[in-house]
């Protein structure tokens, strides 16, 4: 009973603190006339629970929404485990990290944490006991989150059922198990500071930027990671392999990859929120993001994210492939055509135009023709489903073909879809297919 009363007192205190913070922000933060603060999470009104809901519940409801936006559950919950109880292994090139328990258990979770300590962790990447966090925790993005939003997330986490589940020590190889090395990493790759709206942009653009750069931590996957586990801010959103997941997160700045400059806003919104659109379908890690996070976000916020993503400055980190690089052996092309007609044309059409949104088009699909062929190879071998979402609860899936096609056939059909129908991809090799086949579970 004492613990319950203590948590109620803490949450009630947060409500008062949030009001004070809002007043201070309103006094200090000057916006151009007619511009709403994009960091204001009171929009839309129904996210706070509507009229008649007490302030504490409103704060908790908003915190739940923001925790969804940050996809906290994806890392802090083991498959089939208790929500936010941690313990999930996170493989990295340096060894395994084990995600901590963030339920309000006093002994093994964050039950003893204060709102100040939680904000410091989110904002600076420093834990309650002064420990430097490893950057698998996306504090480099979460630093942009406002104090008000951090307090709401904290209030929500303090309201979930506490779970007694001891945290497991990390298993990192020497010298990466020496946290002092993080001091150098932080000097190179971490810039502390809340998001500051750009007065030259609209409120909608700024709201989208706040969500994409902050809680959404989209750059964490869509920016190449170097040998030190860091990424260059100048190459943000230019795409890269996701460490230890063997999926390629495409560039969001190149229209030859996943750049959205020539997409309609509706198609971007559908891809983010529904998981399927008339331009493409999400699979792999992005499908998890849509399932755990984006499908629960308001139409207003997803629209804002789409506006921001569509406006990213176009950048190509490498030139398009030359005509020489795109040459395909006629025998390989014919084998690929035969496999495609037998296995793929029923859903994707002989002309590659598909039957969107159920079966995505392959003709003119940048995800097929990117410089990295990893994703189409994996889809042919593994198959997969887009996420089941509120707006698409029964998605159409793609069967795996690893048990039907050998390496040569799989390489040929992936080559075919990358160069047929005026697609401007390059051929793939049997060795590339075999390397990914070795990753399949036995």
């Amino acid at each position: 009973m004492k613990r319950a009363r203590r948590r109620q007192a803490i949450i009630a205190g947060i409500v008062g603190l949030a009001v004070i913070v809002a007043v201070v922000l309103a006094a200090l933060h000057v916006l151009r006339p007619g511009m709403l603060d994009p960091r204001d999470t009171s929009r839309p009104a129904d996210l706070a629970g509507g009229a008649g809901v007490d302030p504490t519940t409103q704060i908790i409801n908003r915190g739940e929404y923001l925790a969804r936006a940050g996809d906290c559950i994806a890392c802090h919950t083991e498959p089939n485990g208790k929500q936010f109880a941690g313990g999930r292994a996170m493989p990295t090139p340096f060894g395994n990290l084990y995600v901590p328990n963030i339920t309000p258990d006093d002994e093994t979770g964050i039950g003893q944490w204060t709102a100040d300590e939680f904000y410091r962790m989110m904002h600076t990447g420093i834990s309650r006991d002064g420990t430097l966090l490893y950057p698998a925790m996306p504090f480099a993005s979460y630093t942009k989150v406002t104090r008000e939003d951090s307090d709401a997330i904290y209030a929500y986490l303090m309201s979930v059922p506490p779970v007694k589940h001891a945290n497991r020590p990390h298993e990192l190889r020497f010298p990466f198990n020496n946290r002092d090395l993080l001091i150098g990493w932080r000097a190179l790759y971490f810039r502390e500071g809340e998001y500051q709206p750009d007065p030259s942009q609209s409120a909608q653009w700024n709201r989208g930027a706040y969500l994409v750069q902050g809680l959404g931590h989209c750059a964490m996957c869509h920016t190449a990671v170097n040998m030190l586990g860091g990424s260059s801010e100048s190459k943000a959103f230019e795409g890269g392999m996701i460490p230890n997941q063997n999926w390629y997160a495409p560039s969001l700045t190149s229209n030859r990859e996943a750049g959205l400059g020539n997409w309609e806003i509706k198609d971007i919104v559908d891809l983010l929120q529904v998981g399927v659109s008339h331009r493409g379908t999400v699979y792999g890690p992005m499908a998890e993001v849509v399932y755990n996070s984006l499908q629960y976000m308001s139409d207003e916020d997803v629209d804002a994210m789409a506006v921001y993503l569509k406006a990213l400055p176009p950048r190509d980190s490498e030139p398009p492939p030359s005509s020489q690089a795109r040459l395909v052996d006629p025998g390989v092309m014919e084998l690929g055509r035969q496999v495609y007609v037998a296995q793929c044309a029923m859903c994707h059409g002989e002309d590659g135009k598909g039957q969107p949104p159920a079966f995505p088009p392959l003709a003119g699909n940048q995800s097929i023709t990117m410089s990295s062929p990893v994703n189409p190879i994996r889809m042919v071998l593994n198959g997969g489903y887009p996420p089941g979402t509120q707006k698409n609860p029964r998605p159409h899936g793609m069967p795996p073909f690893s048990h039907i096609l050998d390496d040569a056939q799989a390489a040929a059909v992936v080559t075919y879809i990358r160069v047929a129908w005026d697609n401007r991809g390059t051929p793939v090799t049997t060795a590339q297919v075999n390397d990914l086949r070795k990753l399949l579970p036995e």
Side-chain angles (χ1 to χ4, degrees):
M1 290 295 293
K2 289 183 179 179
R3 289 182 180 177
R5 286 197 296 272
R6 177 175 172 270
R7 290 195 182 98
Q8 289 174 354
I10 289 173
I11 294 171
I14 291 169
V15 175
L17 177 60
V19 172
I20 294 170
V21 170
V23 171
V24 172
L25 286 174
L28 296 180
H29 184 61
V30 179
L31 299 171
R32 61 185 171 90
M35 180 179 175
L36 296 172
D37 188 339
R39 304 172 302 177
D40 177 9
T41 55
S42 64
R43 296 174 296 113
D46 60 332
L47 295 179
V53 178
D54 67 90
T56 300
T57 301
Q58 290 181 15
I59 292 286
I60 291 172
N61 288 348
R62 190 168 77 246
E64 180 178 12
Y65 177 80
L66 294 167
R68 285 282 193 186
D71 203 7
C72 305
I73 195 170
C75 291
H76 288 278
T77 304
E78 287 189 283
N80 302 315
K82 293 185 177 180
Q83 198 172 64
F84 300 122
R88 184 169 187 167
M90 184 175 291
T92 78
F94 316 111
N96 282 345
L97 294 170
Y98 291 92
V99 182
N101 180 348
I102 57 171
T103 72
D105 180 66
D106 284 345
E107 295 179 20
T108 63
I110 62 171
Q112 298 287 343
W113 287 48
T114 66
D116 286 342
E117 291 165 342
F118 186 82
Y119 175 73
R120 184 178 76 154
M121 179 275 298
M122 291 277 283
H123 191 64
T124 68
I126 300 175
S127 190
R128 180 175 186 249
D129 61 1
T131 300
L132 298 179
L133 298 182
Y134 286 100
M137 163 64 182
F139 60 84
S141 297
Y142 290 169
T143 188
K144 296 179 183 292
V145 174
T146 64
R147 177 62 192 259
E148 186 179 10
D149 282 358
S150 173
D151 286 345
I153 296 170
Y154 171 79
Y156 165 63
L157 291 176
M158 294 299 285
S159 75
V160 304
V163 178
K164 190 173 295 298
H165 185 232
N167 293 318
R168 182 172 174 178
H170 300 318
E171 297 174 351
L172 298 178
R173 298 188 305 276
F174 179 83
F176 306 108
N177 57 353
N178 181 357
R179 287 183 188 260
D180 289 342
L181 294 177
L182 292 172
I183 297 173
W185 186 95
R186 291 165 67 92
L188 290 171
Y189 303 113
F190 177 51
R191 298 293 178 269
E192 180 183 323
E194 292 185 7
Y195 177 80
Q196 297 301 317
D198 182 346
S200 69
Q201 298 286 352
S202 69
Q204 187 180 41
W205 183 96
N206 273 289
R207 177 65 176 167
Y210 174 69
L211 291 168
V212 169
Q213 295 178 21
L215 285 170
H217 59 282
C218 305
M220 194 166 181
C221 287
H222 288 278
T223 306
V225 176
N226 60 28
M227 295 292 291
L228 297 177
S231 56
S232 170
E233 190 172 339
S234 65
K235 295 185 179 298
F237 302 112
E238 289 189 14
M241 288 294 295
I242 305 175
N244 287 77
Q245 292 197 40
N246 299 293
W247 283 92
Y248 179 78
S251 169
L252 302 180
T253 66
S254 170
N255 287 335
R256 291 190 296 108
E257 293 201 356
L260 305 171
N262 59 5
W263 283 46
E264 297 294 330
I265 289 293
K266 184 183 185 312
D267 288 328
I268 303 173
V269 168
D270 285 347
L271 195 71
L272 294 176
Q273 192 180 49
V274 184
V276 298
S277 79
H278 284 270
R279 293 292 296 265
T281 301
V282 298
Y283 295 101
M286 188 62 193
E288 295 182 29
V289 173
V290 173
Y291 179 78
N292 288 316
S293 175
L294 295 176
Q295 68 161 316
Y296 298 101
M297 297 187 69
S298 68
D299 293 345
E300 182 185 46
D301 275 348
V302 179
D303 282 346
M305 294 175 72
V307 166
Y308 172 74
L309 290 170
K310 182 176 172 64
L312 285 173
R315 290 195 303 268
D316 282 320
S317 57
E318 58 186 60
S322 65
S323 57
Q324 186 71 23
R326 297 179 60 245
L327 290 177
V328 181
D329 180 276
V332 172
M333 195 67 174
E334 176 56 22
L335 175 60
R337 187 195 67 79
Q338 292 174 5
V339 173
Y340 181 84
V341 170
Q343 306 292 349
C344 314
M346 179 179 295
C347 294
H348 295 286
E350 291 190 13
D351 56 4
K353 293 182 179 179
Q355 302 173 56
F359 304 108
L362 303 179
N365 188 330
Q366 293 104 313
S367 68
I368 301 297
T369 60
M370 295 184 295
S371 58
S372 171
V374 165
N375 295 354
I377 292 173
R378 289 204 62 168
M379 287 306 301
V380 168
L381 293 179
N382 300 64
Y385 275 83
T389 59
Q390 297 171 111
K391 295 185 178 181
N392 186 32
R394 302 180 69 179
H396 295 272
M398 176 168 166
F401 291 95
S402 59
H403 62 298
I404 296 176
L405 306 178
D406 61 26
D407 291 347
Q409 292 170 319
V413 74
V414 175
T415 294
Y416 178 77
I417 65 175
R418 281 166 62 83
V419 301
W421 317 298
D422 294 324
N423 281 351
R424 300 190 65 80
T426 55
V428 302
T429 66
T430 56
Q432 289 173 306
V433 172
N434 188 257
D435 285 343
L436 290 170
R437 188 188 292 273
K438 291 175 183 176
L439 301 173
L440 293 174
E442 297 181 358

